[in-house]
């Protein structure tokens, strides 16, 4: 299956000495293990990919590895402290590289961890809005759409938490969820339109 394909790719890249591609294959295998409920193995592979990126001085790959580690911890309830630390590493690297979208992804991951650990909704929303601001500052349209989606995602989770608890969604939270969901959809639509006109 998909996991076997990732590991086969890794073997090919390892034999060729392509450390950066081998690291990417390891990260893909880590995500696949997580989907297959082999979470400890997923973390082991992600950390191995991180080490390879660090040894190869591949800072973009290192940032991606840190985000993978953050996602594994946050989405599968391992350790929120490790998730926050991994997101912080990814943000620092992305910021140093001038990668606005990478920094926005790290901020979005931070917001998701804050929601997952039950932090105040304000803290999560602030981080998601920071993701948007980073992309707006550099004029990155794809990043702007991503930032809007990050904010929408936080509000959508807050609405879901209310409804999962048998409560009606708080009106202010529901309004923000609707607002940012529509803004994100419009931004993604503009990107698709621009892409189709370019082809």
């Amino acid at each position: 299956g998909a996991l076997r394909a990732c590991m086969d790719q890794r073997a090919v890249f390892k034999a060729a000495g392509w450390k950066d591609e081998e690291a990417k294959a390891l990260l893909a295998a880590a995500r696949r293990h997580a989907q297959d409920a082999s979470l400890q193995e997923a973390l082991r592979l992600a950390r191995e990919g991180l080490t390879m990126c660090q040894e190869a001085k591949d800072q973009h790959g290192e940032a991606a590895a840190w985000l993978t580690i953050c996602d594994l911890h946050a989405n599968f309830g391992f350790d929120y402290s490790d998730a926050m630390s991994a997101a912080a590493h990814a943000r620092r690297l992305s910021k140093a590289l001038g990668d606005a979208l990478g920094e926005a992804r790290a901020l979005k991951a931070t917001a998701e961890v804050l929601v997952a650990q039950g932090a105040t909704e304000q803290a999560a929303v602030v981080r998601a809005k920071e993701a948007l601001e980073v992309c707006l500052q550099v004029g990155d349209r794809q990043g702007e759409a991503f930032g809007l989606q990050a904010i929408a995602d936080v509000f959508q989770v807050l609405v879901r938490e209310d409804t999962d608890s048998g409560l009606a969604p708080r009106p202010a939270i529901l309004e923000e969820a609707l607002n940012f969901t529509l803004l994100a959809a419009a931004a993604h639509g503009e990107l698709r339109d621009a892409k189709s006109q370019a082809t």
Side-chain angles (χ1 to χ4, degrees), residues 75-158:
N75 294 324
F76 301 100
F78 274 120
D79 186 327
Y80 293 131
S81 175
D82 282 352
M84 291 295 279
S85 176
H89 283 295
R91 182 180 183 194
R92 274 193 298 278
L93 281 167
S94 296
K95 191 172 189 171
L97 292 165
D99 178 3
L101 189 54
E103 186 178 355
R105 286 175 196 222
L107 285 162
K108 180 180 187 281
T110 301
E112 290 171 348
V113 173
L114 288 168
V115 169
Q117 71 181 13
T120 66
E121 61 202 41
Q122 276 183 305
V125 170
V126 165
R127 291 299 170 262
K129 286 184 176 179
E130 270 186 80
L132 175 60
E133 289 170 18
V134 164
C135 294
L136 288 174
Q137 287 174 2
V138 295
D140 183 325
R141 295 291 294 156
Q142 180 184 1
E144 180 182 347
F146 179 86
L148 288 167
Q149 188 64 56
I151 298 168
D153 289 350
V154 168
F155 281 113
Q156 289 166 7
V157 168
L158 294 171

